[in-house]
Amino acid sequence: MSRRDELERNLAAVRERIAHACEQADRDPGDVTLVVVTKTHPASDVELLADLGVTDVGENRHPEAADKQAEVAASGASLRWHFVGGLQTNKAGAVARYADVVHSVDRAKLARSLDRGAEAAGRTLRVLVQVDFDTTDPGRAGVPPSDVRALADVIVGECRHLELGGVMTVAPLGQDPEPSFAHLREISADLARTVPTATTISAGMSEDFEVAIRHGATHVRVGRSVLGQRPVLQ
Ligand SMILES: *Cc1c(COP(=O)(O)O)cnc(C)c1O
């Protein structure tokens, strides 16, 4: 089977799963955006995905994301690029030049760096606050639920080149994702009451996106179910 056929088959299966989850949740599938996470996979895969109708792709590392974005843009394909990984402050300026949405803002310093980068690039960057619901592992990315409002205030109040787009989470490893996704939806509703642009709920990966859709996810980030296992990083 060609790579194109493989991706087409996997995409069809994922879209079917999304449609089924939406039906179960009485939601319109048009309200759920599939972000295909292409990290570690080559630009040629991204080009095939664009050809197969994918509009949104996700990456988690700079400069891999920058290189791929440039290569794909040169091929003529037009996509929205979502930066979904942990981000060092000193790389924020570079990411602000090519990302359309950054899902992983979890500290004021990073927000301010992205804001300066967006200003320098002459653009407005949509950002999400990453929320962490895991109380057992302090090393994880994301702010605890109680700190979302304070970070949102910095983004809305101080960062004129950022648009607060909503919230994102990665469910705690090895735990039932349901309570996290349910809580994220409450946080989102609270935020949206005062920030009209904060409409995005980014939640759910290959293993758990049906649960996320049941809890209002507007963006699901799916890697392996579309692209297969990732090559082992050297
Ligand atoms: C890799 C990654 C995904 C996709 O995970 P899969 O299990 O491959 O679907 C989603 N979100 C983030 C933040 C990721 O790093």
Side-chain angles (χ1 to χ4, degrees), residues 182-199:
H183 196 171
L184 188 69
R185 180 188 228 167
E186 289 172 18
I187 292 169
S188 165
D190 179 54
L191 207 55
R193 266 193 285 278
T194 53
V195 185
T197 53
T199 52

Side-chain angles (χ1 to χ4, degrees), residues 39-89:
K39 63 191 186 197
T40 75
H41 295 282
S44 55
D45 279 354
V46 182
E47 287 160 25
L48 288 172
L49 290 168
D51 203 45
L52 292 166
V54 168
T55 54
D56 293 76
V57 292
E59 288 285 330
N60 75 333
R61 279 187 197 215
H62 179 81
E64 178 190 342
D67 295 344
K68 222 177 281 180
Q69 195 268 350
E71 194 174 334
V72 171
S75 82
S78 169
L79 289 155
R80 268 187 301 274
W81 291 79
H82 298 255
F83 195 90
V84 303
L87 184 51
Q88 290 165 6
T89 306

Side-chain angles (χ1 to χ4, degrees), residues 172-212:
L173 207 65
Q175 296 176 32
D176 177 5
E178 188 120 34
S180 299
F181 293 157
H183 196 171
L184 188 69
R185 180 188 228 167
E186 289 172 18
I187 292 169
S188 165
D190 179 54
L191 207 55
R193 266 193 285 278
T194 53
V195 185
T197 53
T199 52
T200 295
I201 301 177
S202 169
M205 319 196 336
S206 288
E207 307 293 330
D208 57 16
F209 69 76
E210 284 100 337
V211 183

Side-chain angles (χ1 to χ4, degrees), residues 159-176:
C159 301
R160 288 193 302 118
H161 303 272
L162 301 185
E163 172 182 275
L164 179 56
V167 289
M168 175 273 214
T169 201
V170 176
L173 207 65
Q175 296 176 32
D176 177 5

